[in-house]
Amino acid sequence: QVQLVESGGGLVQAGGSLRLSCAASGRAFNTYAMGWFRQAPGKEREFVAGISYSGVSTNYADSVKGRFTISRDNAKNTVYLQMNSLKPEDTAAYYCAASKSSHFIVTMKEYGMDYWGKGTLVTASS
């Protein structure tokens, strides 16, 4: 069993930055690939970024590539999402998720994720 708790969301002006954190409880955090997903009002949840167990492999949605960076610290059981140059269209609830399989990093689909956090809200105002 893995519990995920996101933090770091808030209100920021367009062009600003935020860093989201996702703290994991439970054992064997370093055996899970981790991902960030987001859901804007009235839209389906979508993949944002993913990172492999070791942190060597990452992938990003085209809409955030070059602006967002995913990283992890296995010693602290935490995964991060650094978000720079935020745009109003980045406004959404952001969710952290864990998977025993890293396949979702390639497919950029949420199918097969094992655990989810409750989300943290990010609002980028114009």
Side-chain angles (χ1 to χ4, degrees):
Q1 185 78 11
V2 175
Q3 292 183 327
L4 304 173
V5 179
E6 303 95 336
S7 62
L11 174 64
V12 64
Q13 286 191 332
S17 299
L18 283 175
R19 188 176 82 154
L20 305 183
S21 298
C22 173
S25 63
R27 297 183 295 179
F29 173 73
N30 62 355
T31 66
Y32 287 88
M34 300 297 296
W36 286 97
F37 296 79
R38 68 185 182 186
Q39 186 169 21
K43 295 188 177 181
E44 293 187 352
R45 189 161 54 190
E46 63 177 1
F47 172 86
V48 175
I51 189 167
S52 62
Y53 323 104
S54 63
V56 171
S57 298
T58 59
N59 199 14
Y60 299 89
D62 287 343
S63 58
V64 306
K65 201 169 292 184
R67 300 188 297 121
F68 290 12
T69 302
I70 188 171
S71 62
R72 66 188 297 162
D73 185 338
N74 286 342
K76 295 183 178 180
N77 282 13
T78 302
V79 62
Y80 305 97
L81 185 68
Q82 178 66 44
M83 305 186 295
N84 299 328
S85 302
L86 281 160
K87 304 176 180 180
E89 51 263 44
D90 294 319
T91 294
Y94 283 72
Y95 299 89
C96 172
S99 175
K100 277 291 189 179
S101 169
S102 61
H103 190 56
F104 77 95
I105 298 176
V106 176
T107 64
M108 296 190 286
K109 301 293 184 183
E110 67 175 63
Y111 179 78
M113 303 307 291
D114 296 306
Y115 301 101
W116 289 88
K118 294 184 177 181
T120 185
L121 186 60
V122 171
T123 304
S125 63
S126 57

